Amino acid sequence: MLEIAHFTLGIVETNTFLIADSLTKDAVVIDPADEGNTIVAEAQRRGWHIGSIWLTHAHFDHLAGAGAVADRVNPPPPVAMHAEDYPLWRMQGGAPFFGLHIDPGPEPTIELRHGQLLHLGGYSIEVRHAPGHTRGHVVFYCAGEGVAFCGDVIFRGSIGRTDLPGGDYQTLINSIQKQILSLPEDTRLLCGHGPETSVGRERIHNPYLA
Ligand SMILES: [Zn+2]
Ligand SMILES: [Zn+2]
């Protein structure tokens, strides 16, 4: 079973997902938003080993906990990200734009590409490039479990903002159509902020997709 531990962390209440193959105990952290100590403590409590950190995108509120996770896990888990978000990562994920300073954590060393399959224990997880909120935003889709980790592409009843550097409204709408709404209707969408939703629910109720 793919187990999912969920946290809401940081100043803009970002969702962090610690996911694991319960059989092998292999785990990854998707978007360590803040409080890396809390994330690592939960992994230890469950007997899971964090092998990597996967970023949906490089905004500071999705990675401010990466350094603290890496400091507490041996060996430090490598960070995976799409190359088109590297300039944003280099700018501390835009934190200075909001008058903040963060530690972006270890340099990303795994370059994510559209269509790539990532492995977690016995699970395969597909990388889907979904630009528009940022240029290098990706969605992590586990077909076997019917779940997608969407970051800031789509929310329950809303979509990601497109007014920050690298954002583009029409590009985001196209990404949602191609990379989210093309998934099976009952696919769970675990969003970067707010509650989870599903493909079917957003197709009907999301006012931006009418
Ligand atoms: Zn964002
Ligand atoms: Zn966010």
Side-chain angles (χ1 to χ4, degrees), residues 57 59 61-62 133-134 137 152 161 164 193:
H57 66 299
H59 276 152
D61 60 305
H62 293 255
H133 175 67
T134 65
H137 200 302
D152 290 356
R161 59 190 285 186
L164 295 170
H193 303 271

Side-chain angles (χ1 to χ4, degrees), residues 17-208:
F17 299 98
L18 170 66
I19 67 173
D21 180 331
S22 55
L23 224 55
T24 66
K25 311 287 184 194
D26 292 304
V28 301
V29 183
I30 299 175
D31 292 352
D34 204 351
E35 295 181 46
N37 54 331
T38 303
I39 301 166
V40 172
E42 181 63 18
Q44 286 169 345
R45 194 183 69 77
R46 292 170 179 250
W48 295 352
H49 177 257
I50 297 173
S52 319
I53 293 170
W54 297 349
L55 302 181
T56 59
H57 66 299
H59 276 152
F60 72 92
D61 60 305
H62 293 255
L63 53 77
V69 169
D71 286 347
R72 287 166 175 78
V73 177
N74 192 10
V79 175
M81 193 185 75
H82 193 284
E84 286 192 61
D85 261 16
Y86 189 66
L88 183 58
W89 185 89
R90 291 264 298 152
M91 295 188 304
Q92 286 178 47
F97 190 78
F98 295 94
L100 301 166
H101 175 83
I102 60 126
D103 167 13
E107 182 97 4
T109 54
I110 302 171
E111 188 178 319
L112 298 177
R113 294 168 195 274
H114 181 74
Q116 184 178 354
L117 283 183
L118 301 169
H119 299 284
L120 173 64
Y123 292 94
S124 293
I125 294 160
E126 181 191 349
V127 175
R128 296 168 81 97
H129 186 209
H133 175 67
T134 65
R135 290 194 178 92
H137 200 302
V138 298
V139 168
F140 299 108
Y141 173 53
C142 183
E145 291 287 298
V147 60
F149 299 89
C150 300
D152 290 356
V153 170
I154 188 167
F155 305 116
R156 184 142 121 188
S158 187
I159 59 171
R161 59 190 285 186
T162 53
D163 59 327
L164 295 170
D168 184 78
Y169 183 82
Q170 199 51 52
T171 303
L172 180 63
I173 295 294
N174 291 346
S175 288
I176 293 170
Q177 299 285 0
K178 270 200 201 142
Q179 307 306 338
I180 304 286
L181 297 185
S182 60
L183 301 174
E185 291 291 290
D186 59 352
T187 304
R188 292 172 68 194
L189 302 178
L190 301 185
C191 309
H193 303 271
E196 80 169 85
T197 183
S198 69
V199 170
R201 184 190 162 91
E202 294 315 304
R203 190 192 304 284
I204 295 166
H205 296 293
N206 194 308
Y208 295 91

